[in-house]
């Protein structure tokens, strides 16, 4: 069961990573990247590293996404 | 298993199933509903009722412990923050000038400003 | 020709690396040196020796305190670099270039009320994460980031002027440098009292000193992290 959970998380992680690369809409890519961070955070927690999981949730999913959004707001939204 | 335990277990199971059901309905709504406003509505249901009742169910399962208190605090946080997020999204988009969806053929409620 | 040369170079480089990898103990092996010497000592004696119940805190701030001191300095330096890039070609200190002319859509009453309602709770959670890093997962970085996120939220919803009251201009520089400053202060204190930079008292009677020094460092990291995150956000112009 635990290994199945791990496998599902890894599959989600890879899917998110590919989606971030392939998305041309930078706003969407930023949101997917935040999802990626959230899945990674679950994985840290599941692997027994709650400290890292908290950092990942706060920095990766929270603050980094906000900074990406600000940066997109000040430049262009579409990738050329 | 005492009667009380059986009762709380059953209550927790019911709450978790209700939460899962609302998550399911919300997900279907996000995929199927026609426009931004109704999709936001569906997504907010997911968070508020779905996550809220799953958290409450887990708190019931936990019993009278500090962990249960934390779970209830989480449920309260979700209860407050998720509708606010939905409200802010819908309001920002409405101010941005997107007209709500109406059934084709009907007169639309308002043109986008 | 050039490409073939590159590939040959890479293959040559990869061979000794792969050879070295083959000499490593298998992944997750319980008998690898890292798990048989240092880790058991940290796990068994960390709480009494280093001053915090949470072994991760012990390792980060006490056993490996010197590394963390360096990391904290690197983060602070990166803030300085980011601010230097963002401020390049601008006059004035940290003032916005222009005030927002007309807000297209001011946050509604509901959002303002909820942010005011949740602000104290988020602050409490941040402080809890920082302080409770001694007995459970958490600590200065995490709690500081949570508080920084709250400052960002207040900036977006209630306006930058409200958020800036949390960091008065006079002490803002000191707040941003809080993490390296407290680390160096504790390090120098150890140097003065116990003869080594970042030395912690070994005496059993002085366990409370160890614990309180760790606490001071945690709080410093938290304050510094929050100040740095909000400074970057403001400087990127996230409030308009």
């Amino acid at each position: 069961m635990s290994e199945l959970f791990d496998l599902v998380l890894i599959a989600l992680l890879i899917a998110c990573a590919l989606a971030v690369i392939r998305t041309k809409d930078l706003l969407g890519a930023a949101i997917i990247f935040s999802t990626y961070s959230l899945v990674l955070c679950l994985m840290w927690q599941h692997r027994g590293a709650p400290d890292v999981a908290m950092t990942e949730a706060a920095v990766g999913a929270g603050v980094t996404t906000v900074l990406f959004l600000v940066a997109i707001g000040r430049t262009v939204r579409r990738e050329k | 298993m005492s009667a009380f335990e059986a009762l709380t277990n059953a209550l927790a199971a019911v709450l978790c199933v209700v939460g899962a059901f609302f998550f399911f309905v919300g997900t279907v709504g996000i995929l199927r509903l026609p426009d931004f406003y109704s999709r936001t509505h569906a997504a907010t249901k997911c968070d508020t009722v779905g996550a809220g009742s799953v958290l409450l169910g887990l708190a019931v399962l936990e019993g009278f412990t500090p962990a249960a208190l934390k779970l209830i605090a989480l449920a309260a946080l979700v209860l407050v923050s998720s509708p606010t997020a939905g409200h802010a999204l819908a309001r920002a988009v409405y101010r941005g000038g997107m007209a709500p969806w109406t059934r084709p053929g009907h007169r639309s409620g308002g043109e986008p400003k | 020709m050039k490409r073939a040369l590159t590939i040959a170079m890479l293959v040559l480089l990869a061979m000794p690396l792969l050879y070295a990898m083959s000499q490593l103990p298998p992944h997750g092996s319980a008998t690898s040196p890292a798990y048989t010497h240092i880790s058991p000592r940290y796990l068994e004696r960390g709480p009494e020796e280093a001053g915090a119940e949470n072994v991760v805190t012990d390792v980060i701030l006490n056993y490996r305190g010197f590394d963390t001191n360096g990391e904290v300095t690197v983060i602070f330096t990166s803030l300085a670099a980011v601010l230097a890039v963002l401020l390049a070609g601008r006059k004035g200190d940290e003032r916005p270039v222009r005030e927002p002319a007309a807000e297209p859509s001011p946050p509604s009453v509901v959002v303002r009320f909820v942010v005011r309602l949740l602000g104290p709770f988020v602050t409490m959670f941040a402080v809890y994460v920082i302080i409770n890093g001694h007995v459970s997962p958490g600590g200065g970085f995490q709690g500081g980031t949570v508080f920084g996120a709250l400052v960002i939220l207040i900036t977006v919803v209630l306006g930058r002027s409200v958020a800036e009251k949390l960091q008065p201009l006079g002490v803002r520089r000191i707040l941003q440098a809080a993490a390296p400053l407290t680390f160096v202060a504790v390090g120098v204190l150890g140097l003065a009292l116990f003869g080594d930079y970042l030395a912690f008292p070994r005496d059993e009677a002085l366990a409370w000193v160890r614990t309180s020094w760790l606490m001071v460092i945690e709080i410093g990291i938290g304050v510094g992290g929050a100040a740095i995150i909000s400074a970057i956000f403001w400087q990127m112009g996230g409030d308009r």
Side-chain angles (χ1 to χ4, degrees), chain B residues 70 77 80-81 84 87-88 91-92 95, chain C residues 105-108 110-111 114 117-118 128:
Chain B
K70 286 176 191 171
L77 177 76
V80 173
S81 66
T84 313
H87 162 82
R91 183 183 147 98
R95 293 256 174 150
Chain C
S105 150
S108 74
V110 180
V111 180
V114 168
L117 180 77
L118 288 184
Y128 169 81

Side-chain angles (χ1 to χ4, degrees), chain A:
Chain A
M1 188 60 207
S2 179
E3 276 175 11
L4 181 70
F5 189 59
D6 253 357
L7 281 180
V8 170
L9 284 185
I10 290 173
L12 262 176
L13 208 59
I14 294 173
C16 284
L18 290 178
V20 170
I21 299 171
R22 297 203 50 91
T23 311
K24 291 278 184 226
D25 181 1
L26 291 177
L27 190 63
I31 301 299
I32 299 171
F33 191 62
S34 126
T35 317
Y36 171 89
S37 291
L38 213 62
V39 177
L40 196 59
C41 157
L42 283 178
M43 215 150 137
W44 289 125
Q45 173 66 35
H46 192 233
R47 284 299 170 102
D51 286 84
V52 189
M54 285 180 81
T55 314
E56 184 71 46
V59 178
V63 174
T64 312
T65 310
V66 172
L67 293 183
F68 276 144
L69 293 189
V70 173
I72 291 169
R74 292 182 74 78
T75 52
V76 288
R77 187 173 157 179
R78 305 288 304 184
E79 190 182 359
K80 293 202 182 69

